[in-house]
Amino acid sequence: MAKYILKRILYLFLTLFIIATITFFMMKMLPGTPFSNQNRMSAEQLKIVKAQYGLDQSVFVQYIRYIGGLLQGNLGTSFQFNNEPVTALIGQRLAPSMQIGAQAMVVGTIGGILLGALAAIRKNTWVDTLATFISILGLSIPSFVLAVLLQFYLAYKWKIYPVALWDNFQSSILPTLALSALPLGTVARFMRTEMVDVMSSDYIELAKSKGNSSWGVVAKHALRNSLIPVVTIIGPMAVSVMTGSMVVENIFSIPGIGEQFVKSITTNDYPTIMGLTIFYSFLLIIVYLIVDILYGLIDPRIRLGNGGKE
Amino acid sequence: MDKILEVKDLHVDFDTYNGVVHAIRGVSFHLNAGETLAIVGESGSGKSITVRSILQLLAKNGTISKGEVLYHGDDLLQKSDKEMDKLRGNKISMIFQDPMTSLDPTMTIGKQVAEPLLIHNNVSKKDALKRAEEVLRLVGIPNPQARMNDYPHQFSGGQRQRIVIAIAIVDYPEILIADEPTTALDVTVQAQIIDLLKELQQKIGTSIIFITHDLGVVAGIADRVAVMYAGRLVEFGSVNDIFYNPQHPYTWGLLDSMPTLDTNESDRLNSIPGTPPNLLNPPKGDAFAPRNAYAMEIDEEQQPPFFKVSKHHYAATWLLHPNAPKVTPPASILNRFEKFKKLGGNVK
Amino acid sequence: MEQIPQIPKEKFRLIHDENNKDQEKIGTPSLTYMQDVRRRLFKDKVAVVCLALISIIVVISILAPIIAPHNPNAQQVTMSNLPPKLGNLNIPGMNGYQNMGGHMVDAYKQADAPKGTFYILGTDYLGRDLLSRIIYGTRLSLVVAVLATLVDLLIGVPYGIVSGWKGGKTDTFMQRIVEIVSSIPNLIVVILMMIILKPGLTSIVIAIAITGWVTMARLVRAQTFQLKEQEYILAARTLGEPSMKIATKHLIPNLSSTIIIQTMFTIPNAIFFEAFLSFIGIGIPAPNASLGTLLSDGQKAFRFLPYQMWAPAIILSVIMIATNLLGDGLRDAFDPQSSEN
Ligand SMILES: Nc1ncnc2c1ncn2[C@@H]1O[C@H](COP(=O)(O)OP(=O)(O)OP(=O)(O)O)[C@@H](O)[C@H]1O
Ligand SMILES: [Mg+2]
């Protein structure tokens, strides 16, 4: 196991390096610089600014510098926002994004597990149909549409929640709801499939023949066995929550990373885009890694060898 | 002799995409205290469904449409779920066909073996685990105390089947239903498992219903045999009746397809030609007729009743009717009788 | 069992197995696999409804130039922000009335619309007919989805087949690439691509396809691995059939269920990405309409003119729901075990 984790961590760095490289050269392929549309600057000024950002060097030198900076945890400097370092920007904006992201993941996962389990236990009844319907809605309605609707009806029309304000926990409820729909739908569907599978397996039959009540069978055997594979979809879910957060933060005016990212895109703030891209990738790779390790730990077949492939 | 369990006129239907499958069509038999009853028949004949009906462990689309399951004279089919839960794994327990998939892959075997005790008896977890360890030793798991916290994937197929047996006997059941407990295992392990079951039966005095499609296994373990075909019993009697004096052509066929230990002759196995009938619309007459070389007109029109052969030996074939022509079993079968007689000791 | 029934002697003639053949004819008619799949699919009511919905939407999109009542990009500033109105039918919400400062006012009269003008779904801030824009927008979104899926198929399927078929080192190497591509969050790649390329249809398709093929490649590879060991394929190999022929004759037909099902999940994904990119302003450029741009425009006016967002939101959701459900139905139809028992 330890060897496996080590290998994965090495992999992580390799992947990050590749992402950084690709990002860097993609950015270099861009036509013009962020200053090229600012006619106010004279040629003289432009030269100074370029030198200031190191843009007068050859691409290769820039690349080496960039990677060197990355190794020291330097993600570059923003063109906008008073030339703040990207790391500082992230620092200021990480908390709100993390809060709604984590809340959405927790709500979505737990809700999805319950919904999926319920559907599987009551398979082919109206409960199943309803649960399936809810999860399909969650999967199909984009979070930004949901966010706008929630904001309009709950906050603006019925005034149950603040419209767009970021201060206390209450203001995080609507964005969390909007973001949790997708994980909820995904987990519910996945959980249902897994659990239906498990419920028709031989060991569940054996558990029944031991004299377990139907509730006992579910609680002692079916739930745990169907939950283990659910862990594997946490990674992809984190991606979808992250995607959603970019627009949802915008809609609810939450000062988070997602909002920053969209803003940087619309203002051609390349260093920030690059920095955030690498940061996002880093986050996701870490999530994937944790999920992988977690999966190995909770499934005895992998933890104790023999059963797994690796 | 005490009838501890009696199944009367059992009918089981399955609702499927293509229509209703009449899987069991009037099966009656009983189990005496302390004996081993073998149920034999081809794949799909309804052996598993019959015994699952006793514990009411049918798939969701299955219903017991008619019949009685009397346990000490009490009809189990009238009992509530809760009452059934109390019997399962306690008074009546079951060993399933496939040891590789019968154990919960995410629970230690100690816990799995102790589970029935915790469900049915008012014992502490510690005592239950201690008991589980004893039973694991009893079924022949080496070094059980060290292996209590291991998971199923860390055991071999034969060991897993022993664990499954341990689960079934941990609470000293009155009736043990073993549904092809050896089919998935190789021959040497098969023999070991059968010896184990015999030994356990002596130690804890359970009655066993033993299912198999291999008559060879039957000889070693059973007192009585019931032969099943297409959802009905076709013949039942003592092991000797079935091996030395079988009356139903289907039983002949089964015997004929059984490998003998005789090495002198080339091991030719005669499997019964044809396939079982479709139980979506079962035939009006004898279901075996289309595959039966001795079929008569009456077989197509009417199901044969059970004819008495001897005190405990009955067979459902029109060949036993006084008006029927006298037929002798095929030569290969007669040959076999000779061989069995010579081997003698192999059959109880 | 006690009484022996009285039966005439002639009934006891041995007949041997002369009518064995009749017996075997009875039973379920054997269907070919594809017929069976189709029959199961058409028995699934939800799937049929979804299929019908999708077909309708597709037909409307194809016939957009004929069906759309107006030019989707024609601006008519005097007619801006008119609420939905359906002929002279007085259906609340569809009668051209609008809440203004507490009263319901006939917005069409206020805009001096000539008698008989009406916009079924109203107009947007530039006076463009929303219905026409939605029809054309759906068309554009579907085009994006179909093209992205095609590219997906063209890259993913051969990649998966080669990787699975060759196995060994080639497979390991190809899987490393897949692993790296899939560990980069696809959205980020898509956004980076969109920044580099000029916003527009082609860029969106490329951006979506560049990450999308990975899933397809993975599934196809896994399936190919299994198929490779099947007897008929082993036979074809030992007989020396050329690889290309084996791939097209034996592999692709057997991969079809995997491919079709995966396609049904790629389409909503592509539609979502287009909407997402257009929503944050780097997707389909103005003045062209796509579901994403319509949602983005609608959202800006949502507080006061909710109808401008509701219509595209509903269409988008319906397409997503229908394709997802149809994907489910197809999966069940191809693999009945997954839904039965
Ligand atoms: N859930 C079900 N739905 C429909 N038909 C079923 C179901 N379960 C069993 N059957 C049918 O009932 C019949 C009897 O099945 P059963 O499992 O009892 O056979 P078996 O004698 O135990 O065979 P084997 O030796 O293969 O275990 C078969 O024809 C089978 O197709
Ligand atoms: Mg069976």
Side-chain angles (χ1 to χ4, degrees):
Chain A
M1 193 77 201
K3 205 174 137 198
Y4 176 68
I5 296 176
L6 210 73
K7 199 175 124 199
R8 286 301 308 256
I9 292 178
L10 236 104
Y11 231 168
L12 185 157
F13 281 108
L14 180 70
T15 318
L16 268 183
F17 172 73
I18 293 173
I19 294 173
T21 308
I22 294 174
T23 320
F24 180 85
F25 285 104
M26 275 176 130
M27 288 292 144
K28 285 297 151 208
M29 273 158 55
L30 284 173
T33 66
F35 316 112
S36 55
N37 44 10
Q38 286 170 292
N39 327 331
R40 290 176 275 124
M41 283 193 216
S42 63
E44 200 67 3
Q45 279 174 302
L46 206 64
K47 213 172 160 192
I48 297 172
V49 176
K50 274 195 171 178
Q52 187 188 336
Y53 287 103
L55 294 177
D56 51 348
Q57 313 271 333
S58 79
V59 172
F60 184 70
V61 173
Q62 290 182 37
Y63 171 67
I64 297 293
R65 272 203 198 168
Y66 187 72
I67 298 291
L70 277 185
L71 287 177
Q72 292 158 23
N74 178 3
L75 288 174
T77 311
S78 167
F79 286 158
Q80 332 264 300
F81 308 104
N82 315 319
N83 292 344
E84 261 189 279
V86 176
T87 32
L89 272 177
I90 293 174
Q92 294 153 19
R93 291 171 162 265
L94 188 57
S97 293
M98 280 292 177
Q99 188 191 339
I100 58 165
Q103 283 176 8
M105 292 281 281
V106 170
V107 171
T109 312
I110 294 179
I113 286 170
L114 292 178
L115 202 64
L118 208 63
I121 294 168
R122 296 264 170 271
K123 193 180 163 224
N124 295 340
T125 64
W126 65 269
V127 178
D128 185 18
T129 312
L130 184 71
T132 307
F133 185 67
I134 294 174
S135 59
I136 285 284
L137 283 188
L139 270 174
S140 306
I141 302 178
S143 51
F144 50 91
V145 173
L146 204 59
V148 175
L149 296 183
L150 282 174
Q151 186 183 41
F152 180 67
Y153 288 102
L154 292 183
Y156 182 73
K157 242 188 159 161
W158 303 329
K159 303 196 167 41
I160 303 174
Y161 291 105
V163 177
L165 183 89
W166 183 254
D167 51 6
N168 51 10
F169 169 71
Q170 221 202 356
S171 55
S172 76
I173 292 177
L174 289 188
T176 301
L177 279 183
L179 277 180
S180 61
L182 188 58
L184 183 111
T186 316
V187 173
R189 245 158 87 107
F190 195 80
M191 180 74 186
R192 179 185 179 277
T193 316
E194 280 303 323
M195 193 140 165
V196 165
D197 225 38
V198 165
M199 289 296 269
S200 67
S201 66
D202 290 349
Y203 57 86
I204 292 299
E205 195 94 13
L206 181 76
K208 279 186 213 155
S209 82
K210 284 176 178 178
N212 275 304
S213 62
S214 30
W215 169 240
V217 170
V218 170
K220 283 192 239 169
H221 300 276
L223 265 183
R224 190 188 31 230
N225 277 288
S226 4
L227 275 176
I228 291 176
V230 170
V231 172
T232 56
I233 58 166
I234 290 181
M237 264 171 32
V239 177
S240 59
V241 166
M242 188 195 84
T243 311
S245 74
M246 292 185 187
V247 259
V248 169
E249 284 179 13
N250 234 316
I251 291 167
F252 288 98
S253 317
I254 296 168
I257 305 181
E259 195 226 6
Q260 174 73 67
F261 193 61
V262 176
K263 219 187 265 169
S264 313
I265 291 169
T266 42
T267 55
N268 287 349
D269 184 356
Y270 302 138
T272 312
I273 298 175
M274 269 162 80
L276 287 179
T277 302
I278 290 162
F279 179 72
Y280 270 132
S281 309
F282 179 70
L283 268 188
L284 285 174
I285 294 169
I286 294 277
V287 170
Y288 272 106
L289 181 68
I290 292 175
V291 164
D292 237 42
I293 294 171
L294 203 65
Y295 185 67
L297 284 181
I298 59 175
D299 190 334
R301 280 159 297 188
I302 296 179
R303 177 175 26 138
L304 302 169
N306 291 335
K309 273 171 264 157
E310 294 198 64
Chain B
M1 263 189 281
D2 238 4
K3 279 186 194 176
I4 164 169
L5 185 80
E6 187 168 14
V7 172
K8 282 186 174 168
D9 197 26
L10 183 72
H11 285 76
V12 179
D13 293 341
F14 285 98
D15 240 339
T16 69
Y17 185 78
N18 295 313
V20 177
V21 174
H22 305 281
I24 306 296
R25 307 174 296 135
V27 163
S28 306
F29 65 90
H30 70 271
L31 179 70
N32 294 318
E35 75 166 346
T36 301
L37 168 71
I39 302 180
V40 297
E42 281 174 299
S43 187
S45 54
K47 307 177 299 287
S48 299
I49 303 302
T50 303
V51 293
R52 272 156 195 252
S53 304
I54 296 172
L55 281 177
Q56 292 166 44
L57 286 175
L58 292 177
K60 277 215 176 106
N61 61 339
T63 40
I64 299 174
S65 51
K66 197 174 156 198
E68 286 172 90
V69 176
L70 303 174
Y71 169 68
H72 290 301
D74 254 2
D75 189 359
L76 296 186
L77 300 183
Q78 305 303 324
K79 299 221 182 264
S80 68
D81 282 352
K82 240 189 173 155
E83 288 170 313
M84 279 311 294
D85 284 342
K86 279 195 190 127
L87 284 173
R88 290 184 195 129
N90 179 21
K91 300 286 183 208
I92 308 176
S93 61
M94 190 143 172
I95 303 170
F96 291 94
Q97 208 157 336
D98 189 354
M100 301 314 270
T101 55
S102 292
L103 293 167
D104 185 336
T106 60
M107 193 186 251
T108 61
I109 59 139
K111 277 191 193 154
Q112 295 194 53
V113 177
E115 200 179 337
L117 295 170
L118 291 167
I119 295 171
H120 299 291
N121 308 33
N122 203 358
V123 291
S124 71
K125 217 171 192 165
K126 214 177 118 207
D127 290 345
L129 286 173
K130 220 163 121 199
R131 187 62 224 293
E133 193 188 315
E134 280 164 31
V135 177
L136 282 171
R137 182 168 294 122
L138 188 67
V139 297
I141 297 289
N143 201 2
Q145 148 205 6
R147 306 216 59 184
M148 289 283 283
N149 291 322
D150 283 352
Y151 290 87
H153 73 267
Q154 294 166 296
F155 293 86
S156 72
Q159 283 177 321
R160 285 191 219 184
Q161 193 59 297
R162 286 166 194 270
I163 296 167
V164 173
I165 292 173
I167 292 172
I169 61 162
V170 72
D171 215 2
Y172 289 157
E174 256 183 280
I175 301 173
L176 183 63
I177 300 172
D179 187 354
E180 307 200 26
T182 59
T183 308
L185 305 172
D186 65 54
V187 188
T188 41
V189 185
Q190 259 183 34
Q192 288 169 8
I193 296 283
I194 290 187
D195 287 342
L196 172 66
L197 282 174
K198 278 202 284 198
E199 195 187 313
L200 290 173
Q201 184 173 33
Q202 264 159 23
K203 269 192 198 150
I204 63 178
T206 36
S207 317
I208 300 182
I209 299 180
F210 190 94
I211 295 181
T212 176
H213 52 236
D214 180 358
L215 266 177
V217 172
V218 170
I221 189 165
D223 300 303
R224 286 191 310 128
V225 183
V227 181
M228 218 173 159
Y229 183 75
R232 293 174 68 91
L233 289 189
V234 295
E235 182 163 6
F236 59 88
S238 70
V239 169
N240 283 325
D241 294 333
I242 299 298
F243 275 81
Y244 296 122
N245 190 23
Q247 296 297 321
H248 199 286
Y250 179 65
T251 316
W252 296 344
L254 275 187
L255 280 169
D256 211 10
S257 60
M258 176 185 145
T260 49
L261 297 172
D262 192 0
T263 45
N264 296 340
E265 216 173 293
S266 60
D267 246 348
R268 189 173 55 96
L269 297 184
N270 301 319
S271 58
I272 310 171
T275 48
N278 185 340
L279 294 178
L280 275 171
N281 31 20
K284 188 171 67 164
D286 184 352
F288 188 58
R291 300 170 69 185
N292 185 357
Y294 307 94
M296 298 170 289
E297 260 176 60
I298 181 73
D299 278 315
E300 313 239 292
E301 290 164 17
Q302 216 174 323
Q303 274 183 13
F306 272 107
F307 291 95
K308 184 170 178 171
V309 181
S310 64
K311 187 156 181 264
H312 296 295
H313 183 190
Y314 289 82
T317 166
W318 285 116
L319 289 175
L320 292 174
H321 193 275
N323 286 346
K326 267 235 122 4
V327 297
T328 39
S332 58
I333 293 280
L334 293 173
N335 247 337
R336 261 160 214 268
F337 290 163
E338 290 307 307
K339 267 181 234 152
F340 290 148
K341 270 176 197 144
K342 266 184 248 155
L343 292 167
N346 246 353
V347 175
K348 258 194 204 174
Chain C
M1 20 182 129
E2 277 71 33
Q3 279 167 324
I4 293 169
Q6 291 304 309
I7 290 165
K9 205 157 184 156
E10 65 268 20
K11 294 272 175 195
F12 289 90
R13 261 180 305 144
L14 294 172
I15 50 171
H16 298 285
D17 49 356
E18 61 190 20
N19 48 357
N20 241 355
K21 281 178 194 124
D22 296 358
Q23 198 66 26
E24 279 176 10
K25 273 189 201 141
I26 313 175
T28 47
S30 80
L31 297 169
T32 67
Y33 179 59
M34 270 308 174
Q35 279 173 319
D36 219 24
V37 167
R38 199 172 319 145
R39 192 181 56 143
R40 275 195 293 267
L41 186 68
F42 283 113
K43 269 211 167 179
D44 181 349
K45 286 189 206 86
V46 176
V48 170
V49 169
C50 292
L51 190 62
L53 270 177
I54 295 169
S55 310
I56 294 172
I57 292 173
V58 168
V59 168
I60 292 180
S61 307
I62 292 174
L63 301 180
I66 302 170
I67 291 178
H70 298 268
N71 176 342
N73 295 337
Q75 305 179 5
Q76 205 174 350
V77 188
T78 49
M79 299 289 159
S80 66
N81 290 333
L82 290 177
K85 182 174 178 179
L86 183 56
N88 288 324
L89 303 174
N90 205 356
I91 310 163
M94 292 289 276
N95 56 4
Y97 278 71
Q98 203 170 26
N99 188 334
M100 271 196 181
H103 321 263
M104 296 304 282
V105 198
D106 186 343
Y108 283 73
K109 209 178 247 168
Q110 282 203 328
D112 275 332
K115 246 196 157 60
T117 353
F118 61 89
Y119 300 96
I120 297 176
L121 291 178
T123 58
D124 70 358
Y125 66 107
L126 291 173
R128 294 176 293 196
D129 175 40
L130 264 183
L131 177 64
S132 308
R133 283 186 74 69
I134 286 175
I135 292 175
Y136 274 94
T138 308
R139 175 177 156 118
L140 190 54
S141 291
L142 286 182
V143 167
V144 169
V146 169
L147 289 180
T149 309
L150 274 182
V151 178
D152 226 56
L153 285 172
L154 287 178
I155 305 176
V157 174
Y159 193 98
I161 290 182
V162 169
S163 182
W165 186 260
K166 293 265 182 220
K169 282 213 177 88
T170 321
D171 179 49
T172 315
F173 176 72
M174 289 176 89
Q175 285 317 109
R176 284 285 170 274
I177 295 181
V178 165
E179 252 172 72
I180 289 175
V181 173
S182 58
S183 71
I184 307 174
N186 52 357
L187 174 78
I188 295 217
V189 179
V190 172
I191 288 180
L192 285 180
M193 292 303 295
M194 291 310 295
I195 295 173
I196 294 170
L197 305 168
K198 270 206 314 283
L201 182 73
T202 331
S203 326
I204 294 190
V205 171
I206 293 174
I208 296 174
I210 220 166
T211 55
W213 63 275
V214 178
T215 320
M216 181 69 85
R218 269 210 182 121
L219 292 172
V220 169
R221 169 186 173 264
Q223 188 89 22
T224 306
F225 249 126
Q226 281 174 15
L227 287 173
K228 201 164 71 168
E229 304 302 324
Q230 304 278 304
E231 262 164 50
Y232 60 94
I233 291 192
L234 284 176
R237 283 169 82 180
T238 40
L239 286 176
E241 268 189 58
S243 301
M244 202 54 205
K245 200 169 164 201
I246 296 179
T248 48
K249 218 174 103 192
H250 300 291
L251 276 178
I252 305 232
N254 284 294
L255 290 168
S256 59
S257 64
T258 310
I259 296 174
I260 293 175
I261 294 166
Q262 180 53 27
T263 305
M264 278 327 284
F265 294 112
T266 313
I267 290 176
N269 203 34
I271 291 181
F272 168 80
F273 264 121
E274 182 283 314
F276 179 87
L277 294 173
S278 299
F279 194 84
I280 62 174
I282 54 174
I284 300 288
N288 289 328
S290 74
L291 288 174
T293 57
L294 289 170
L295 280 170
S296 172
D297 287 346
Q299 188 240 336
K300 285 171 199 140
F302 191 55
R303 205 163 282 180
F304 312 103
L305 308 160
Y307 66 89
Q308 290 189 5
M309 178 158 168
W310 268 116
I314 289 173
I315 297 289
L316 177 70
S317 304
V318 166
I319 296 177
M320 300 274 285
I321 291 171
T323 39
N324 271 317
L325 285 174
L326 183 60
D328 276 0
L330 278 170
R331 181 161 43 198
D332 291 347
F334 275 114
D335 178 17
Q337 267 99 36
S338 70
S339 58
E340 268 171 39
N341 90 68

